Each structure stands twice: as C-alpha cells, then as structure tokens.
Amino acid sequence: MAVDGLPVAVLFAEFDNRLGRTLSLQEPAGYLSPEAFDDISEYLIPKPQLCGRLIVMRGAARNVLCWPVCLEDTVYERNALFFTLALVLEPASPAAAAARSARPNGAAVWCADCSASEFGEVLRRACGYLVALERKSRLVSGPGSRDELRHLLPALLHGLQTEGGLTLALDAAHSSRIDLPRPPPPRAPAVEAHLVPVLIAQPDPTATRKWDLTVLKLLPAIDG
C-alpha cells in the first residue's frame, strides 16, 4: 500500500507521568502545532496493545506514520516507558520531485512510491536503536537524554531526504544501516528485429575453444 508524500518532518512523542502525552521533540522545530498534536496524540501514544506496530494516519494535507513503543520494566514509575517516533509525509510538487530525481550520485534513492510498510521498517529499526540505548544508558528516560535525541531527529530526516537512509551507531563497535528501498531501474528499451545480431558464418569448434567464456555463452543466443 503506497503512501502519498515525501518525508518533511520527524516527531518524537512520549507519555509523561505528570503531563500525559507530550510532543517532546520535532524536526524541524515548530512544524506541528499543539492543536495538531492534540488531534493525533491518541494514535502517537496508543494503548499498550497497539504498541510495537506501524500506525498510519492519513489526512488531506499530510500523512503521519508512527511506531509506538511500550518498554515494560520495574525501573519506571508506572512500570512502563511509552514513546514513539513518527514520520510526517507531505505530497511533493512536480517541480520538487523532479529536482530530487535529478540529484547526482543517486542521492534520491527513496521514492514517493514507497509503501507504508517500507517507511514502517525505517521507524521500526530506528525505535529498536532507541530501545537498545535506553536499556544501555537510559537514553530516552535519563537526565540529559534530550541532547542525543536532538541530534538523532535531524540526522534521520536529512538522511531520508538526501540519501534514503542513514547509519545509526550503537557504540564504537556496533552500527546499523537503515535504508528505504531503491527505486526500480528504468525499463530497458525495446529491441527491434533489425538490431538483433545474426551469424554470417558458423565458427570452427576447434577455434572457439580458445575464445572468451562470455562470448561462448552468448554465441548460442546469436540466432537472429
């Protein structure tokens, strides 16, 4: 199932034990208004039964995809930590889409035809990275954790917009590459009958034994 839009924002929301559902970080800053967040907060931080799976919210102006996480542990105040990472997609104008496609070195390796599950795989792996760091160093719940998260969100958005992915480093020895699938290659042009090579003489079998192996494999196909 394709989703209409290109990544324009990344959101990090969590459940605060005193404030409730909170939009803690977003890139770019101020992209989502408090009113707009209130409209979708119930889906960004849902009931525990809906955590650990992709949730897609479709709207006229934007689509929001999120991967909510419920990390259960007695170290937390309510025996669980709730947070989510979300991608906001907006339809691209024809001019913007053409400009991205024209970037050199295959920079625009993602495409607007990516399915919701393909974007969801990016969110799933990014949230897995956050869970691993939370268990290791309290990245999400610990004091001073926002500095690291503030670096992650722009890196994720920039990587998806320019390279179709990014590398997440768990520590000096462990890293993980997250990529959207590359678009399919262009269809090969049709081959007209007059362009097909034809043998004009039957090669001598004794002579062909010394020919290049690739040529020997192609030879039976040169039949006009």
Side-chain angles (χ1 to χ4, degrees):
M1 178 176 58
V3 286
D4 180 21
L6 306 174
V8 295
V10 181
L11 313 175
F12 177 82
E14 60 187 328
F15 186 85
D16 185 279
N17 292 321
R18 286 162 289 280
L19 301 176
R21 296 179 176 91
T22 304
L23 180 59
S24 303
L25 296 169
Q26 54 179 319
E27 178 64 31
Y31 172 82
L32 199 67
S33 67
E35 294 77 17
F37 172 72
D38 289 341
D39 290 341
I40 62 174
S41 62
E42 186 177 353
Y43 303 100
L44 290 173
I45 306 292
K47 299 293 185 181
Q49 297 88 334
L50 294 179
C51 291
R53 66 186 67 188
L54 178 66
I55 295 178
V56 180
M57 292 159 275
R58 298 178 181 273
R62 63 174 69 96
N63 296 318
V64 181
L65 290 74
C66 69
W67 192 278
V69 173
C70 173
L71 190 56
E72 296 181 344
D73 198 307
T74 55
V75 301
Y76 302 119
E77 186 172 336
R78 296 191 179 186
N79 296 327
L81 175 68
F82 293 91
F83 68 88
T84 192
L85 199 60
L87 279 176
V88 182
L89 312 178
E90 286 186 358
S93 66
R100 293 180 184 277
S101 300
R103 288 179 177 172
N105 302 322
V109 296
W110 51 267
C111 61
D113 292 329
C114 284
S115 68
S117 62
E118 289 164 343
F119 280 114
E121 180 63 14
V122 170
L123 291 172
R124 183 189 70 81
R125 295 184 63 184
C127 285
Y129 167 81
L130 292 179
V131 168
L133 287 182
E134 167 64 19
R135 287 173 171 161
K136 180 181 180 181
S137 59
R138 292 290 181 259
L139 174 74
V140 177
S141 64
S145 62
R146 291 298 174 265
D147 290 340
E148 186 70 22
L149 289 172
R150 284 191 181 95
H151 288 98
L152 173 63
L153 266 63
L156 178 59
L157 181 61
H158 179 74
L160 291 176
Q161 289 179 334
T162 59
E163 301 177 9
L166 77 161
T167 300
L168 298 174
L170 183 59
D171 53 40
H174 300 88
S175 62
S176 177
R177 179 72 188 178
I178 301 178
D179 284 302
L180 287 170
R182 293 178 179 270
R187 181 175 297 180
V191 178
E192 302 294 339
H194 66 276
L195 298 175
V196 179
V198 180
L199 287 176
I200 59 175
Q202 190 64 34
D204 185 352
T206 59
T208 59
R209 294 174 184 173
K210 298 180 181 180
W211 288 8
D212 182 78
L213 291 177
T214 302
V215 175
L216 293 177
K217 289 184 178 181
L218 290 174
L219 192 60
I222 303 177
D223 55 4

